[in-house]
Amino acid sequence: MITRESIRRALMKGISTDEIIKFLRMHAHPQMRENNPVLPSTLTDQIKLWEMERERCVFADGVLYNNFLSQKDFEMLRNYASDLGVAMCSNAANKVVVVSPEGHDQVRAFWKRQKKE
């Protein structure tokens, strides 16, 4: 059975979507081979979408800043990290900022200076 999980496992083992689709075409039931195209486009499109879904997430190391006491504190740190070019992402609703590991020391030093004031 072809499922998102089975395609994901194949992709993780280095099998490309083109190879999966080619295999399915080569091993299609004789009645399916009479169709043109052999595989329904919905199937091939879905397999490609699952590959794209897998590739859209990029994992990277980062340092999370959260538990801000105020929106003002959150915005100050977010803006500083953004100005340095080390802010990876932020969410104002949840008051969280993710900073690259390279920028962490600078942001942490800035935050400590701000907390003393």
Side-chain angles (χ1 to χ4, degrees):
M1 182 180 300
I2 300 170
T3 64
R4 173 186 273 138
E5 184 60 26
S6 65
I7 297 299
R8 189 184 70 78
R9 281 194 312 268
L11 294 170
M12 287 177 67
K13 292 181 180 185
I15 302 170
S16 72
T17 53
D18 290 336
E19 291 171 318
I20 294 168
I21 292 168
K22 184 178 178 182
F23 177 86
L24 292 172
R25 283 188 181 124
M26 288 174 48
H27 295 88
H29 189 277
Q31 286 180 331
M32 288 296 294
R33 288 191 194 134
E34 294 174 10
N35 298 336
N36 187 16
V38 174
L39 299 175
S41 62
T42 54
L43 174 63
T44 57
D45 289 348
Q46 187 60 59
I47 291 170
K48 290 176 183 177
L49 284 172
W50 285 334
E51 177 185 39
M52 289 170 45
E53 186 179 272
R54 181 177 175 263
E55 292 176 349
R56 75 175 179 206
C57 294
V58 176
F59 295 95
D61 290 334
V63 180
L64 176 70
Y65 288 84
N66 61 357
N67 296 326
F68 293 97
L69 298 177
S70 69
Q71 189 69 23
K72 181 183 170 197
D73 286 348
F74 160 76
E75 290 172 1
M76 182 188 326
L77 188 117
R78 180 197 60 198
N79 293 343
Y80 180 77
S82 293
D83 291 346
L84 287 178
V86 298
M88 296 174 70
C89 67
S90 64
N91 182 306
N94 295 323
K95 293 190 281 197
V96 296
V97 179
V98 178
V99 175
S100 69
E102 299 79 25
H104 172 57
D105 290 337
Q106 284 180 285
V107 173
R108 182 179 57 199
F110 169 79
W111 188 240
K112 283 183 179 182
R113 286 192 309 271
Q114 295 304 311
K115 295 312 277 179
K116 287 181 182 178
E117 294 176 8

